[in-house]
Amino acid sequence: MLQISRSPDRGASPGDGPSGLATEDDRLRFARYAEALAFYEGDQWLGKRRRGEARLTFNYARTLVRKVAAYVFPTPVTFSVPSQGDDAAANRAERALADAIAENDLARLDVELCVEASVLGDAALKVTWDALARVPIVAAVDPATLVAWWAPDNPRHVYLIAQVYGMTGTALARAFGPAVDASGLAPERTYPVVEDWTAERWTVEVAGQRVRDEANPYGWIPYVIAPNNPRPHAFWGESDLIDLYDVCRELNGRMSVLAKVLELSGAPIAVLENVDGSEGITVGPGAKWELPEGAKAYLLDLLGGGGVGLHVEYVNLLYRVLHDLSETPRTAFGDSGRALSGAALEVEVQPLVQRVRRKRSSWESVFRQRNARILDLLERFGGQDLGGLRRTVTIWPSVLPSDTDSAVRNAAQLVANGIQSRRTAVAALGSDDPEGELTRVIEEMTKLSAVSRQPSEISNKR
């Protein structure tokens, strides 16, 4: 069994979980992850299927989570770096950050992490430096492999994070070389790897062997946690699916019953009274029955009496509850069901806008931490002169579809009235290099001005 050295305050002993580090709260968190992921993937029925039971699954959970993520990130976000008196350094930092984001394909990763955080309740990423390629690496991390410790009076102040993952014997020998005694490792067997990170130390244990115990080369913990709607005094978040479990299961059940009723109505049930047997009696076009005296025969009408209408009304009610709980009105799917003015449409979709803004406020914290780590790596290990700038400002795209021409006119009015600088306006319109773009605009204006002066100079000479 893997033996892990630990601080006395970790409150766990080896073997408490897969990592040997997990507390009871962590194990409950892992169980919630597994339940939410299974539900998201379509495992939404409770108990075993009864014989002949029809079980339909309408996976609104997956659709709603993806829909909200699409509104949070309709287009890639961009970032500006406040100059703090050095515009040239800020411009270099913005270009370097944009390059790192493009190289790591973070626009796609942001959407994926948003979906994962909504499903599990948490998402995580790791920012490290690739010494060979001399570039920062940003990779997603399974939150079920992480255990964290934070200050008792401040859950946002994390002082230790441990990650546990598996590697085969062959991969271990390739990754750690002579630091690992590979003689006793089976090439295809998976062994546990435990990383402990504090701001001061970095330790790695592989299959019970301590292969690294050194000073943290970064000076900060490389993990960034993205909790989804955490409680004010909690570190980990909660899944968006919690409120949808019951209504999705009930919707699946009612739709399955309705489907069964419609199926049986298409193949009607023959009811015979005062008949000893049913031999020779078949249901079908042109069928003729000979019944004894006093016997009755009729087809059972499952659609009579308005029973199906009650099912449909209940399904519509569940449908409304589903949209209310998810704060995603039907209008978000492009169908309001009636003709509405622009203002009325905005009011109807307002619950989704408010939800998206709540999510974006959480992601701004994640982006600040991630970008600060990227810029720090680029300057300290990449040799780029960024003037020590680390703070970034997130420039979000519009939640709802917007008119670019209108946005340009508004930006021009703000600049003309002295409310906003040209550099800020360029950044708000989505440019990755606002300083460079502004410089190019000035150069073009200078050239055009010089060209326009030439004819007047020639005429004056004449």
Side-chain angles (χ1 to χ4, degrees):
M1 178 180 293
L2 178 65
Q3 301 293 320
I4 303 172
S5 62
R6 65 191 67 253
S7 303
D9 61 340
R10 289 194 182 179
S13 59
D16 281 347
S19 66
L21 298 171
T23 64
E24 181 62 26
D25 288 342
D26 288 318
R27 285 190 288 273
L28 292 175
R29 174 168 59 90
F30 300 154
R32 291 195 298 269
Y33 289 167
E35 180 185 14
L37 183 59
F39 194 88
Y40 175 77
E41 292 177 345
D43 185 8
Q44 300 179 3
W45 286 82
L46 297 175
K48 295 182 178 180
R49 182 194 298 266
R50 296 190 299 272
R51 190 172 186 178
E53 180 186 14
R55 286 189 169 185
L56 302 179
T57 300
F58 299 87
N59 201 345
Y60 276 95
R62 188 201 303 267
T63 300
L64 290 170
V65 165
R66 288 178 172 176
K67 176 63 66 175
V68 174
Y71 273 89
V72 175
F73 295 102
T75 58
V77 296
T78 56
F79 304 94
S80 65
V81 178
S83 64
Q84 300 181 16
D86 190 345
D87 291 341
N91 190 39
R92 290 194 298 271
E94 287 178 355
R95 289 200 303 270
L97 180 61
D99 290 341
I101 289 174
E103 289 173 358
N104 285 274
D105 197 12
L106 296 188
R108 176 185 59 82
L109 186 61
D110 290 342
V111 179
E112 294 174 352
L113 290 176
C114 183
V115 170
E116 176 153 308
S118 299
V119 174
L120 302 183
D122 301 290
L125 52 88
K126 188 177 184 181
V127 185
T128 55
W129 178 255
D130 187 336
L132 296 178
R134 295 185 61 78
V135 294
I137 300 298
V138 182
V141 175
D142 184 356
T145 66
L146 298 178
V147 181
W149 290 263
W150 53 87
D153 58 342
N154 183 7
R156 302 271 73 81
H157 176 60
V158 179
Y159 62 85
L160 189 152
I161 289 183
Q163 183 184 11
V164 182
Y165 52 93
M167 294 180 68
T168 63
T170 302
L172 289 172
R174 183 170 58 250
F176 295 97
V180 175
D181 181 9
S183 60
L185 301 180
E188 301 304 322
R189 181 180 172 184
T190 300
Y191 296 91
V193 179
V194 183
E195 293 191 37
D196 272 7
W197 287 88
T198 67
E200 297 78 23
R201 302 295 298 177
W202 173 36
T203 64
V204 181
E205 288 197 6
V206 176
Q209 304 176 42
R210 178 67 62 87
V211 298
R212 278 204 175 95
D213 188 353
E214 58 191 58
N216 186 338
Y218 308 127
W220 33 258
I221 298 175
Y223 299 96
V224 179
I225 310 298
N228 184 66
N229 295 328
R231 299 174 65 189
H233 50 77
F235 177 76
W236 301 104
E238 66 176 13
S239 172
D240 285 344
L241 301 180
I242 291 178
D243 295 331
L244 305 182
Y245 284 160
D246 290 340
V247 65
C248 284
R249 286 175 175 140
E250 183 66 12
L251 180 62
N252 292 334
R254 292 305 94 199
M255 290 293 284
S256 298
V257 170
L258 182 57
K260 190 67 174 179
V261 170
L262 295 177
E263 179 186 358
L264 294 175
S265 67
I269 302 172
V271 180
L272 305 177
E273 294 183 1
N274 301 324
V275 176
D276 293 334
S278 58
E279 295 181 1
I281 297 178
T282 59
V283 178
K288 295 182 179 181
W289 298 350
E290 293 183 3
L291 301 177
E293 185 178 354
K296 294 182 180 180
Y298 58 90
L299 298 179
L300 184 61
D301 184 9
L302 297 178
L303 302 181
V308 172
L310 292 176
H311 281 288
V312 173
E313 289 180 12
Y314 185 49
V315 167
N316 287 334
L317 179 60
L318 291 173
Y319 197 52
R320 178 175 178 178
V321 170
L322 182 68
H323 283 290
D324 288 347
L325 291 178
S326 64
E327 299 178 81
T328 310
R330 182 63 193 171
T331 308
F333 292 84
D335 178 20
S336 64
R338 58 193 187 281
L340 296 174
S341 65
L345 281 172
E346 289 186 6
V347 171
E348 187 163 305
V349 82
Q350 190 64 20
L352 176 61
V353 173
Q354 294 168 344
R355 182 180 185 184
V356 168
R357 287 174 178 168
R358 292 199 307 269
K359 285 187 174 292
R360 286 183 173 184
S361 65
S362 298
W363 280 100
E364 283 185 356
S365 174
V366 174
F367 290 148
R368 282 195 299 269
Q369 297 178 62
R370 183 196 71 183
N371 294 345
R373 286 163 168 76
I374 292 175
L375 293 174
D376 190 51
L377 293 174
L378 289 171
E379 187 161 42
R380 291 172 55 201
F381 299 99
Q384 300 193 34
D385 180 14
L386 306 180
L389 298 177
R390 301 291 182 267
R391 190 168 72 88
T392 58
V393 177
T394 306
I395 301 173
W396 291 99
S398 175
V399 177
L400 302 176
S402 58
D403 185 356
T404 303
D405 293 339
S406 176
V408 171
R409 287 195 298 271
N410 292 336
Q413 290 177 359
L414 292 173
V415 171
N417 294 327
I419 300 175
Q420 189 179 75
S421 69
R422 284 181 170 82
R423 185 179 185 279
T424 301
V426 172
L429 290 173
S431 174
D432 292 334
D433 184 14
E435 191 69 30
E437 191 68 31
L438 184 59
T439 300
R440 289 187 287 272
V441 170
I442 294 175
E443 290 175 353
E444 288 182 358
M445 293 176 63
T446 303
K447 291 179 181 179
L448 291 174
S449 178
V451 171
S452 63
R453 286 198 303 268
Q454 289 177 358
S456 60
E457 292 176 354
I458 294 174
S459 60
N460 290 336
K461 290 179 180 180
R462 291 177 179 176

